[in-house]
C-alpha cells in the first residue's frame, strides 16, 4: 500500500481510497528484502561480480542495462529507481505483468538485472540460475547471511527498499478491539511455527503495535513519494 499510493497520487493516477484516512493500522506482519539479481551469463560477459562493478558498467554504458520489474509501482520497480537515483545511473526499466515472466526472461538472457522479491528468486539463486549481488534491506538476510546489503556493498548509506505486509482494519476502530486484535496477532506472528515459515521464505516476521505501524506507513509513503517524483514513474 505504501508503495502503490505514491505512484498513483504523484504519477498521474487516483486511488479510490485514502491509505491513511480510510484504514486503522493494526500490525506489520513481515518485511522481506528484494535482491539484486543478474543473468549469470551477462554478468560473466561483462565481468560484473559486485554492486560496484554494476554501477561502473552502468555509468560507462548509459541506457544499455535493462532492468526488469514485476510492474510499474511495485517494490521491485521502486527499489531499482531508488538505486538509479542514488548511484546516478540510467538503466532502462522494463515492466512485466508480474514477477514470474520477468524472472523467466532474466534467466533466458532477454533482460539483464532485476531487484526481485527474495522469495521468488531464492531457489533460482541457490540453483545458480541467477547471480545475486546484494539484498536491498538495511541488514543482511538470514536466508543469505554472506550476501551484503546494497548499502554496504556500494557505500550507499540510507539505501533501503523492502516489501512488507501488514494488517489494517476499517477507519475509527474501537481502541479495545484494536488493541486486543493487535495483541493476538503479535502472538501468532511471533510463534515459532509461523516465524520459521517466514524465515524459510526469506521474510522476517515483525509484529508491532498499531501506533508503531501507523508511523511506519506514514514514513514509507513519504519516502516513496519522493522516489516517484524523482524518477518520473507513471501508472499504466
Amino acid at each position: 500500500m505504501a508503495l502503490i499510493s505514491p505512484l498513483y497520487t504523484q504519477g498521474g493516477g487516483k486511488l479510490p481510497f485514502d491509505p491513511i484516512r480510510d484504514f486503522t493500522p493494526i500490525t506489520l506482519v513481515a518485511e522481506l528484502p528484494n535482491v539484486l539479481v543478474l543473468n549469470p551469463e551477462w554478468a560473466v560477459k561483462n565481468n560484473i561480480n559486485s554492486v560496484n562493478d554494476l554501477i561502473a558498467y552502468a555509468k560507462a554504458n548509459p541506457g544499455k542495462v535493462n532492468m526488469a520489474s514485476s510492474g510499474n509501482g511495485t517494490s521491485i520497480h521502486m527499489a531499482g529507481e531508488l538505486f538509479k537515483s542514488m548511484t546516478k545511473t540510467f538503466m532502462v526499466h522494463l515492466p512485466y505483468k508480474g514477477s514470474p515472466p520477468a524472472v523467466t526472461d532474466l534467466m533466458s538472457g532477454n533482460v539483464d538485472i532485476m531487484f526481485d522479491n527474495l522469495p521468488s528468486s531464492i531457489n533460482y539463486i541457490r540453483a545458480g540460475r541467477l547471480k545475486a549481488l546484494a539484498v536491498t534491506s538495511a541488514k543482511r538476510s538470514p536466508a543469505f547471511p554472506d550476501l551484503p546489503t546494497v548499502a554496504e556493498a556500494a557505500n550507499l548509506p540510507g539505501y533501503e527498499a523492502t516489501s512488507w505486509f501488514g494488517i489494517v482494519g476499517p477507519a475509527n476502530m474501537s481502541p479495545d478491539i484494536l488493541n486486543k486484535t493487535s495483541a493476538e496477532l503479535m502472538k501468532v506472528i511471533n510463534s515459532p511455527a509461523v516465524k520459521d515459515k517466514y524465515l524459510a521464505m526469506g521474510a522476517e516476521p515483525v509484529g508491532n503495535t498499531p501506533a508503531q505501524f501507523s508511523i511506519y506507513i506514514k514514513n514509507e509513503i513519504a519516502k516513496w513519494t519522493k522516489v516517484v517524483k524523482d524518477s518520473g514513474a507513471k501508472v499504466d
Side-chain angles (χ1 to χ4, degrees), residues 105-196:
D105 263 11
L106 180 61
M107 291 189 293
S108 299
N110 293 324
V111 290
D112 307 319
I113 75 166
M114 185 175 178
F115 289 82
D116 194 27
N117 294 147
L118 182 54
S120 69
S121 280
I122 193 168
N123 289 330
Y124 299 123
I125 294 169
R126 288 172 174 162
R129 298 186 66 187
L130 291 174
K131 181 179 180 65
L133 295 185
V135 291
T136 64
S137 46
K139 59 182 181 179
R140 296 190 181 202
S141 169
F144 291 101
D146 294 332
L147 199 62
T149 67
V150 170
E152 66 178 304
N155 191 25
L156 291 175
Y159 181 91
E160 180 183 3
T162 58
S163 298
W164 54 268
F165 304 92
I167 297 176
V168 298
N172 304 314
M173 283 182 70
S174 156
D176 288 343
I177 294 175
L178 174 61
N179 292 331
K180 182 176 181 180
T181 303
S182 176
E184 291 301 315
L185 285 169
M186 281 195 280
K187 289 180 185 177
V188 174
I189 293 166
N190 289 305
S191 66
V194 172
K195 289 180 73 172
D196 287 347

Side-chain angles (χ1 to χ4, degrees), residues 34 60 84 196 213:
N34 291 350
K84 288 161 59 178
D196 287 347
F213 189 27

Side-chain angles (χ1 to χ4, degrees), residues 32-92:
L32 59 92
N34 291 350
V35 57
L36 173 53
V37 285
L38 283 60
N39 173 274
E41 289 77 19
W42 182 83
V44 169
K45 176 183 176 182
N46 295 292
N47 197 30
I48 298 175
N49 296 298
S50 68
V51 179
N52 281 330
D53 288 343
L54 175 62
I55 294 171
Y57 181 85
K59 285 184 175 180
N61 299 275
K64 291 187 178 180
V65 180
N66 293 324
M67 180 185 77
S69 83
S70 53
N72 284 323
T74 61
S75 69
I76 295 170
H77 174 203
M78 292 292 99
E81 293 297 343
L82 181 61
F83 181 82
K84 288 161 59 178
S85 174
M86 293 184 70
T87 59
K88 295 179 171 53
T89 54
F90 172 62
M91 296 181 284
V92 178

Side-chain angles (χ1 to χ4, degrees), residues 7-8 10-13 72-73 77-78 93 228 231-236:
L7 182 62
Y8 272 78
Q10 302 298 327
N72 284 323
H77 174 203
M78 292 292 99
H93 173 227
V228 171
S231 69
K234 302 290 182 182
V235 294
D236 292 327

